[in-house]
């Protein structure tokens, strides 16, 4: 038997039933699901120092377990001394089993290591069922060796779901274990 991530198994066994009861779906295919997680980081200082992009790519690769790619600028911005085609950030798109593994590690180990953590804000929804989360320090992930980082950077994590509304997406992410703040 093949390996199935813990959250994927939980989604199939418990979350689908809970969401069907909550929203009254008539078909299992109507139940929203997590499609992908995008972890990205902008490195504005990379205009002056090209090695910062390599560090960002390496750190994202370490955190997610999948090779990150450098993102390049789309246009010239004279005020920032930026030229079209220069590497300016890094991102990695997680789907399938790696996505569920990353979400599991984020919820169980990384988020509890945030200083004074009381839950994540529920204001990051975009109106189409996607959620954006900003992380201020990469050292919350246990894969990062604190002695080897050259500077503390944050990153953005985007959860793309098949939900139509923010309410459905929030219910899905809550069932998957994201600790939203109680307002």
């Amino acid at each position: 038997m093949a390996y199935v991530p813990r959250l994927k198994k939980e989604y199939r066994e418990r979350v689908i039933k809970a969401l069907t009861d909550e929203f009254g779906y008539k078909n299992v295919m109507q139940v929203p699901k997590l499609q992908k997680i995008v972890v990205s980081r902008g490195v504005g200082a990379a205009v002056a120092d090209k090695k910062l992009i390599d560090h960002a790519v390496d750190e994202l690769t370490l955190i997610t377990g999948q090779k990150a790619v450098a993102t390049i600028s789309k246009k010239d911005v004279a005020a920032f001394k930026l030229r079209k085609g220069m590497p300016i950030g890094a991102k990695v798109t997680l789907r399938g089993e790696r996505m569920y593994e990353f979400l599991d590690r984020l919820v169980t180990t990384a988020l509890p290591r945030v200083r004074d953590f009381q839950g994540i804000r529920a204001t990051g929804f975009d109106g189409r069922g996607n959620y954006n989360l900003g992380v201020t320090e990469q050292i919350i992930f246990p894969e990062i060796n604190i002695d080897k980082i050259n500077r503390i950077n944050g990153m953005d994590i985007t959860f793309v779901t098949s939900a139509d509304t923010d309410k459905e997406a929030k219910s899905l992410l809550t069932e998957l274990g994201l600790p939203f703040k109680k307002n």
Side-chain angles (χ1 to χ4, degrees), residues 43-50 73-88:
V43 188
V47 173
D49 189 5
K50 300 281 186 246
S73 63
K74 293 182 180 177
K75 46 172 111 161
D76 296 349
V77 181
F80 300 126
K81 296 188 175 121
L82 183 67
R83 298 286 160 252
K84 185 177 178 180
M86 286 174 90
I88 203 68

Side-chain angles (χ1 to χ4, degrees), residues 84-160:
K84 185 177 178 180
M86 286 174 90
I88 203 68
K91 74 168 187 169
V92 58
T93 303
L94 302 167
R95 289 185 169 90
E97 293 187 354
R98 281 201 185 115
M99 170 184 71
Y100 284 106
E101 286 295 330
F102 175 76
L103 180 60
D104 201 0
R105 281 185 287 132
L106 178 74
V107 170
T108 56
T109 58
L111 286 178
R113 290 174 61 153
V114 174
R115 268 184 262 136
D116 302 330
F117 184 69
Q118 281 139 18
I120 55 178
R121 296 204 332 238
T123 56
F125 289 97
D126 66 351
R128 293 194 168 91
N130 304 316
Y131 181 69
N132 293 298
L133 167 68
V135 176
T136 52
E137 304 175 326
Q138 80 270 38
I139 55 176
I140 64 168
F141 290 96
E143 295 88 359
I144 298 291
N145 185 350
I146 201 161
D147 300 328
K148 292 186 178 169
I149 60 169
N150 53 356
R151 57 188 291 218
I152 290 181
N153 284 326
M155 64 188 72
D156 297 313
I157 304 172
T158 303
F159 300 91
V160 179

Side-chain angles (χ1 to χ4, degrees), residues 27-90:
N27 192 333
V28 182
M29 299 304 282
Q30 289 178 304
V31 178
K33 65 175 178 254
L34 199 57
Q35 291 176 325
K36 64 183 174 180
I37 297 176
V38 181
V39 183
S40 60
R41 172 190 282 180
V43 188
V47 173
D49 189 5
K50 300 281 186 246
K51 284 191 204 129
L52 292 176
I53 289 291
D54 298 334
H55 289 298
V57 167
D58 292 341
E59 281 183 358
L60 286 183
T61 302
L62 249 174
I63 289 169
T64 59
Q66 180 174 310
K67 181 86 166 89
V69 296
T71 55
I72 56 173
S73 63
K74 293 182 180 177
K75 46 172 111 161
D76 296 349
V77 181
F80 300 126
K81 296 188 175 121
L82 183 67
R83 298 286 160 252
K84 185 177 178 180
M86 286 174 90
I88 203 68

